[in-house]
Amino acid sequence: MRAGLPIPLLAAVGLVVAGVIAIGAPLVLSDYLTRILILIALNSILVLSLSLSNGFTGVFSLGHVGFVGAGAYASGILSLTVQQKAALLPHLPGLLSSFSLPFLPATLAAGLFTALLAVVVGYPLMRLSGYFVSVATMGFLIIVNVVLINAVDITRGSRTFTGVPLQTNLPWVMAWLVVTLLLLARLVYSPFGRSMMAVRDDTIAAGAVGIDVLRTRLIAFVIGAFFAGVGGSLYAHYLGSFSPITFYFAMTLNLIAMLVLGGMGSLSGAMIGVVCVSLLSEGLRSAERGFSLLGLTVPPVFGASQIVLGIVFILIMIFRPKGIMGDRELTFGAARTSASKPSIER
């Protein structure tokens, strides 16, 4: 590991930058651009949490959005007022129906709930490798979706879950993004992080030198699930109303595309992937309604944005299969460990 800025200084710089963006952006940007910025920060939290297992331990999970959905519903249920629960969820179990939590405690509770769920799910699944674990985690996503649809007394089933307080704003999202990025960076570029990379590169060699493969994968899986639950809570309090289909295959493919595009072995690459996909999607969505440029009028072609976005992904995977950043980081002189050549440690 190369010497660089200490973690406290990095945290201070991150908090200052996040504070400037959170306070200044709404003053100079329109509501539309502010909402885009909120969504970019939200998706960054989710993609960063996904990169912990998919990028740094080699466990390609397709069920990550299941934790996002579980966190969204958990936080939504906990934050509804007692009166709302009586009206919308009259058959809610007595313990849940008798109290209401503020935004922050509900968010933390959602993260802890998804982390506990990850322990139960991850203990058997993290023993698998390759496409076996991908299929198994996709099965977990399907199970979560089925439970959300059929647990009518708790989740309202396939009907829209509504009434969640709209408390997610830019300061909240930026604060959680800073916390997520700093904690994951501290974890990934540490001795334990190098063990994660060793497990990713060669499980047999890692086990031979004494690394507990199951424990390493499980810890990464649980921490990623915690931040997925936090991101789900932020999404719930941003949308206000949602249904089980919100947290299903469409979101899964979107998050994986962002991660792969930016670089699966890089935290900053994950965020770059989110920014690129988000801005490109918004730009193409506006362009598909038709535009005029230099006297040339292009008629509306609805759906063209998805086609163009797909072509862009194909080209990037052909000419840069490791993504934009690969396994490199935007460090600006900060501490960094090469993800491509990890040091195997006990």
Side-chain angles (χ1 to χ4, degrees), residues 1 5-8 10-11 48-49 51-52 56 176-194 196-197 223 227 265-271 329-331 334-338:
M1 178 180 290
L5 294 176
I7 291 297
L10 285 175
L48 284 170
S49 64
S51 71
L52 198 59
F56 291 98
W176 272 111
L177 177 57
V178 170
V179 170
T180 303
L181 183 58
L182 288 176
L183 290 181
L184 294 190
R186 185 68 183 89
L187 176 68
V188 167
Y189 296 105
S190 69
F192 179 78
R194 292 194 291 274
M196 290 166 50
M197 299 173 196
I223 294 175
F227 285 106
S266 167
L267 295 176
S268 54
M271 297 183 63
E329 296 284 3
L330 292 176
T331 58
R336 182 187 70 172
T337 299
S338 172

Side-chain angles (χ1 to χ4, degrees), residues 286-287 289-300:
S286 299
R289 292 194 290 266
F291 61 94
S292 297
L293 181 64
L294 300 177
L296 176 65
T297 301
V298 177

Side-chain angles (χ1 to χ4, degrees), residues 42 46 63-80 101-118 140-141 144-145 148 155 161 164 168 224-239 242-244 247 251:
L42 261 175
L46 298 182
H64 195 70
V65 171
F67 296 117
V68 180
Y73 273 90
S75 178
I77 293 169
L78 291 173
S79 60
L80 290 178
L101 290 181
F103 178 39
L104 180 58
T107 300
L108 292 173
L112 293 174
F113 170 69
T114 53
L116 179 61
L117 183 60
F140 165 71
L141 174 62
V144 170
N145 183 260
L148 293 178
T155 66
F161 189 97
V164 181
T168 296
F226 172 82
F227 285 106
V230 168
S233 174
L234 294 173
Y235 247 112
H237 289 271
Y238 174 73
L239 297 174
F242 46 87
S243 63
F247 309 102
M251 179 179 281

Side-chain angles (χ1 to χ4, degrees), residues 198-220:
V199 169
R200 175 195 64 189
D201 292 340
D202 193 327
T203 55
I204 297 177
V209 297
I211 295 176
D212 190 330
V213 175
L214 175 61
R215 174 178 173 273
T216 302
R217 286 179 168 179
L218 185 59
I219 290 176

